[in-house]
Amino acid sequence: MEIPKELDPPARLLMGPGPSDVPPRVLRALAAPTVGHLDPYYLEVMNGTRRLLQHVFRTTNELTMPVSATGMAGMETCIVNLVEPGDEVLIGVNGVFGGRMCDVAERAGAVVHRVEAEWGRVFSPDELRAALDRHPKVRLVGIVHAETSTGAHQPLEEIGALVRSRDALLLVDCVTSLGGAPVEIDAWHVDAAYSGTQKCLSCPPGLSPVTFGPRALARMDARKTKAQSWYLDLAMIRSYWGAERAYHHTAPVNMTYALYEALRMVVEEGLDARFERHRRHHRALRAGLEALGLSYVPERSLPMLNAVRIPDGVDDKAVRGALLREHGIEIGGGLGPFAGRAWRIGLMGASCTRRHVSALLAALGGQLGGAGDALAAADATYGRG
Ligand SMILES: *Cc1c(COP(=O)(O)O)cnc(C)c1O
């Protein structure tokens, strides 16, 4: 055969909805010697990873670990283990990922009640309370903390207490928020949550950190049926990540190294400092984008995902193509009803720096006109300290 050419990926500035830029230290971890997945060294890495994840999720949950696949597998792990056929679940749908949660829950045999909000809006505790009043038998409530399709930032503080008072479990998608904005698993009464490595943790895609609290464990222990998925069945995975270390599947050893190192970087920076960094660069980017005449889609924007409307007459694909070809910058297009109508600009983890903000505003301003004003508007926000 003619051998395909040698691998030589371009170095981009990744400013879309994920993956984000990966620090050299994390890439080096991927290149470290592979050991056996039951090697004592790997067991140390597993334990360290669990402790780091507990810190980042702000939880003492013992069952905290990365699922060996991307964020969607984390979603599926939570649902297939917490839901049995016939269970009623309530899911908040205000974007793509809430919709996917419904699909996964239906496939697991749940009776799904959707509570809908316009894309870009978030749910108030009153809306969810009313939905729970209409459906008193709901056993699980699923909600997306950071809806990456719209940029909306869902407050969770009151929702956790509300769901707990109804004896249902609260499942939260924090794929995009973890490591970039506060996620308080224990303080917010979240029973189960899943995330991803390639957003604000700035690790390549490939693992999905999950965490389960005592009420979620009790629900799993009381199951009458086996989970629908063999690979994602926590009854077995728990003994692999637990004290027994019973073989279930071969963990992706080098991906665990990468996550371990990425989490160490999060903890070294400090969660509060990291959240403040995301807010600071979001303020600057927002000032610059608004100076370009772009308006935000959501009422309550995430810091790490900036969804803005594409102005009339501007060609979405032409602009994104030029950013990538001429500047090496990737931003995201819109999903679903926002396809062709919104851009999604990420400031996640290592992609959240003043250099990224300036490069994006200069390049996008060059396409739309007004780069100078956009950069000045962004710079002015840094001056304020
Ligand atoms: C990215 C994302 C996912 C899915 O993660 P994958 O790694 O693409 O499987 C799920 N939920 C939200 C909110 C996301 O942003």
Side-chain angles (χ1 to χ4, degrees), residues 16 24 36 77 92 136 207 239 249 258 261 283 290 339 348 363 377:
T77 300
L207 294 174
S239 7
H249 65 284
E261 210 49 36
R283 258 195 316 271
E290 289 178 343
M348 299 181 180

Side-chain angles (χ1 to χ4, degrees), residues 74-308:
M75 180 193 289
E76 195 144 2
T77 300
C78 292
I79 290 175
V80 300
N81 283 282
L82 295 177
V83 169
E84 288 193 82
D87 281 1
E88 290 189 36
V89 305
L90 181 76
I91 293 173
V93 182
N94 57 352
V96 164
F97 292 100
R100 286 188 174 187
M101 238 195 238
C102 295
D103 190 6
V104 174
E106 275 161 12
R107 288 168 194 242
V111 177
V112 177
H113 304 293
R114 298 162 76 103
V115 44
E116 311 235 9
E118 201 187 317
W119 283 38
R121 262 199 51 219
V122 294
F123 295 97
S124 70
D126 284 343
E127 284 169 285
L128 292 175
R129 188 174 298 113
L132 285 168
D133 287 343
R134 284 196 300 278
H135 305 292
K137 290 208 210 110
V138 159
R139 304 192 76 215
L140 176 137
V141 174
I143 198 157
V144 180
H145 184 217
E147 185 40 93
T148 318
S149 61
T150 67
H153 194 171
Q154 173 68 51
L156 290 174
E157 290 85 336
E158 290 178 56
I159 289 172
L162 165 69
V163 172
R164 187 148 298 189
S165 74
R166 302 298 172 102
D167 228 21
L169 298 178
L170 177 61
L171 167 64
V172 170
D173 177 322
C174 53
V175 175
T176 285
S177 47
L178 192 71
V183 171
E184 293 280 346
I185 295 299
D186 289 357
W188 295 347
H189 303 302
V190 176
D191 297 296
Y194 57 93
S195 188
T197 46
Q198 76 274 25
K199 315 254 171 145
C200 292
L201 301 179
S202 277
C203 183
L207 294 174
S208 175
V210 293
T211 185
F212 296 87
R215 299 167 80 245
L217 295 188
R219 180 72 61 86
M220 288 183 227
D221 290 340
R223 288 185 72 98
K224 294 184 196 73
T225 58
K226 283 186 181 178
Q228 287 79 358
S229 165
W230 187 92
Y231 194 73
L232 302 176
D233 183 353
L234 283 167
M236 294 187 285
I237 296 176
R238 275 163 81 178
S239 7
Y240 182 45
W241 272 80
E244 302 101 285
R245 305 291 188 192
Y247 168 63
H248 175 259
H249 65 284
T250 309
V253 171
N254 292 54
M255 265 311 294
T256 317
Y257 295 165
L259 176 59
Y260 180 89
E261 210 49 36
L263 290 167
R264 274 171 35 81
M265 290 183 72
V266 172
V267 176
E268 280 171 14
E269 179 175 6
L271 289 174
D272 288 341
R274 198 168 173 97
F275 302 152
E276 175 51 29
R277 171 164 65 82
H278 281 82
R279 282 193 293 269
R280 185 165 71 249
H281 297 302
H282 162 72
R283 258 195 316 271
L285 179 68
R286 179 165 194 144
L289 293 173
E290 289 178 343
L292 291 175
L294 299 171
S295 64
Y296 270 66
V297 169
E299 52 179 2
R300 220 173 157 277
S301 178
L302 292 161
M304 73 289 287
L305 197 282
N306 296 261
V308 291

Side-chain angles (χ1 to χ4, degrees), residues 10-17 19 21 285 289 316-333 343-347 351 353-367 375:
R12 307 287 195 205
L13 286 189
L14 295 178
M15 301 187 68
D21 287 349
L285 179 68
L289 293 173
D316 169 30
K317 289 211 173 97
V319 170
R320 281 193 288 132
L323 290 183
L324 192 68
R325 271 193 324 276
E326 294 164 23
H327 303 272
I329 298 176
E330 177 181 283
I331 65 168
W343 286 318
R344 294 179 303 145
I345 303 169
L347 288 175
S351 292
T353 71
R354 189 165 180 170
R355 173 170 162 247
H356 286 82
V357 170
S358 302
L360 185 274
L361 291 174
L364 189 57
Q367 291 294 314
L375 285 163

